Amino acid sequence: MDDLVQPTIVKLSAAEIDRRREAVSQAAANARLEGQFSSPESEAIFDRYVQGELEIGEVISLLKERHGLR
């Protein structure tokens, strides 16, 4: 049953959610300035980060996996 471990979802404060939302917004704005846009699948990953389901290292790993990067 060890393989059925559920991820821990951390309850974030409203201030931390706002901070993460602003960070994601700024990153997206920077990417748009460089002509890059996020797919809906990537946006879903960013939303999970904002809500506290993922930490930044997990976001990076998932995005690398999506794009076939190491």
Side-chain angles (χ1 to χ4, degrees):
M1 288 239 180
D2 291 334
D3 60 336
L4 299 176
V5 175
Q6 294 291 331
T8 303
I9 298 175
V10 177
K11 178 72 172 151
L12 300 179
S13 68
E16 178 63 11
I17 290 172
D18 288 344
R19 186 193 69 74
R20 287 180 178 213
R21 186 174 289 124
E22 181 62 23
V24 168
S25 177
Q26 289 294 319
N30 288 338
R32 284 192 304 274
L33 286 172
E34 295 179 7
Q36 301 172 359
F37 298 90
S38 294
S39 67
E41 294 85 2
S42 293
E43 289 295 328
I45 293 170
F46 297 135
D47 288 341
R48 291 176 60 200
Y49 168 71
V50 168
Q51 296 305 316
E53 294 177 30
L54 300 172
E55 289 302 320
I56 196 65
E58 295 167 306
V59 171
I60 293 167
S61 293
L62 288 170
L63 291 173
K64 283 182 174 181
E65 183 180 306
R66 276 199 77 252
H67 295 284
L69 304 172
R70 292 174 149 203

